[in-house]
Amino acid sequence: MTQPSPQAPEVRRTLSEAAATLLSNTTKSAPQWSAITPRWLANLLPWQPVEAGSYRVNRVADGPEVIADGVECSPTDDSPALPESFVDYAPDPREYVLNAVTAVLEVQTRVTDIHNFPHDQVREQLRLTIEKVKESQDDQLINNTDYGLLNQVSPHFRVATRAGAPTPDDLDELLALVWKQPSFFLAHPRAIAAFGRECTRRGVPPVVTGLFGAQFITWRGVPIIPSDKLKVTGGKNGTTNILLVRTGLEKQGVVGLFQPGVPGEVQPSLSVRFMGIDLSAVASYLVTLYCSVAVHSEDAVAALEEVEVGHYHDYA
């Protein structure tokens, strides 16, 4: 049996690429975190500065305490004395107290001393920590049990879907509740997709508009803003909520609250403070963001509940 002749070893005439990388520098990106979202809600809310961390919303009293009948149009010469009137205020106005979203960043000083180029380790760690705090703020603006938008919707402004999936009729129902200059809908991306399917089935594709350099679908001219902080419960065929919001102090709408000038401020109401270095050579930084949301009138926000996101249509 003939044995195969051994192959001659390959003769290299140049430096290999693998060897060359030993002397080269790789260009490195900053750390990327897929959990960062656009946080459109914070961009769309007007922000009201407060003092001493609190904000009081005064409202007109309901019921017979308000005397509004004493108004007369074009009184004649034989009319009795001019009518008297006044408007009473609610005796127990709500006060909003700023909530603190906090995190403590710890960094080993050996890491920052030795491994600090080309990216500053403290700067990158703080950047990502601030992003995490802002994501938590975004969630609190919607879901906080005290001031979150979902929990500030009046019972009279909560409606359920007609058939589960969000339809144009359902969004029209919200518009009938918040009809005074509504600003935007807020919905989970899956709820927006479900609404798009219902529009396609009815042959009424929503109009698209541009905001902040991004494209959003609209309904009746009101943009539908995506937010994954409106949770979907129940898995693949779960349910969620859709909000309709009117913003602005002048429109008796929803505003965000913040306190400017806090110690260590790096952004409005956001502070970063160095806490020191412990005996293990670990440096600590306190990151704090103060915020809240005030609803000036109960007709400034409405919720569509029991929105099913897993319904599809067969067009075959």
Side-chain angles (χ1 to χ4, degrees):
M1 183 175 180
T2 305
Q3 296 293 330
S5 59
Q7 293 183 350
E10 181 183 357
V11 178
R12 280 198 294 134
R13 302 175 59 187
T14 64
L15 181 68
S16 70
E17 185 174 347
T21 59
L22 298 175
L23 299 182
S24 65
N25 289 330
T26 301
T27 302
K28 307 170 186 67
S29 75
Q32 308 297 302
W33 185 27
S34 61
I36 297 175
T37 66
R39 301 188 292 267
W40 301 116
L41 177 58
N43 289 319
L44 289 165
L45 285 178
W47 289 87
Q48 174 71 27
V50 303
E51 295 181 1
S54 64
Y55 183 76
R56 179 181 299 165
V57 174
N58 290 304
R59 292 182 177 179
V60 172
D62 296 323
E65 293 84 1
V66 180
I67 301 176
D69 295 333
V71 177
E72 185 174 340
C73 181
S74 300
T76 60
D77 293 339
D78 56 354
S79 297
L82 292 176
E84 297 179 352
S85 177
F86 75 96
V87 179
D88 203 1
Y89 304 137
D92 298 310
R94 174 166 182 178
E95 288 200 5
Y96 294 86
V97 178
L98 292 186
N99 182 56
V101 183
T102 61
V104 175
L105 169 65
E106 295 185 336
V107 183
Q108 172 58 246
T109 54
R110 174 181 170 83
V111 170
T112 58
D113 290 343
I114 299 176
H115 306 284
N116 217 40
F117 182 82
H119 295 287
D120 186 306
Q121 296 287 353
V122 171
R123 184 183 63 222
E124 292 302 323
Q125 287 288 301
L126 281 173
R127 178 180 68 85
L128 293 171
T129 302
I130 289 172
E131 290 288 350
K132 184 177 181 180
V133 166
K134 287 186 175 182
E135 288 294 327
S136 179
Q137 176 206 33
D138 201 42
D139 179 77
Q140 293 296 306
L141 293 177
I142 297 173
N143 298 303
N144 185 278
T145 55
D146 179 41
Y147 65 82
L149 287 178
L150 268 179
N151 295 298
Q152 291 201 67
V153 179
S154 170
H156 303 296
F157 289 84
R158 296 178 181 269
V159 294
T161 58
R162 298 169 64 89
T167 66
D169 292 336
D170 293 321
L171 267 60
D172 282 343
E173 190 72 19
L174 286 183
L175 288 168
L177 294 173
V178 186
W179 58 270
K180 305 173 186 175
Q181 299 176 282
S183 301
F184 57 86
F185 294 97
L186 193 67
H188 191 279
R190 292 183 63 192
I192 297 176
F195 175 70
R197 291 193 294 270
E198 297 303 315
C199 290
T200 299
R201 183 170 180 263
R202 290 161 173 76
V204 286
V207 176
V208 176
T209 189
L211 291 171
F212 308 111
Q215 300 299 305
F216 302 91
I217 67 171
T218 66
W219 183 248
R220 307 296 191 195
V222 180
I224 306 176
I225 307 299
S227 172
D228 64 347
K229 308 308 186 299
L230 279 162
K231 308 300 184 183
V232 175
T233 59
K236 181 178 179 181
N237 298 316
T239 60
T240 183
N241 301 287
I242 296 177
L243 295 175
L244 177 58
V245 181
R246 178 178 71 247
T247 63
L249 179 60
E250 297 78 9
K251 296 187 291 185
Q252 301 185 100
V254 176
V255 299
L257 303 177
F258 77 104
Q259 180 157 323
V262 295
E265 187 174 70
V266 294
Q267 296 176 20
S269 213
L270 171 67
S271 71
V272 176
R273 282 182 281 182
F274 179 60
M275 299 173 62
I277 301 174
D278 65 14
L279 295 178
S280 298
V282 174
S284 299
Y285 300 84
L286 176 64
V287 180
T288 309
L289 177 59
Y290 297 96
C291 66
S292 188
V293 178
V295 177
H296 287 90
S297 176
E298 68 174 8
D299 65 352
V301 58
L304 179 65
E305 302 179 320
E306 302 173 19
V307 176
E308 296 180 5
V309 299
H311 186 66
Y312 293 82
H313 301 285
D314 186 2
Y315 297 102

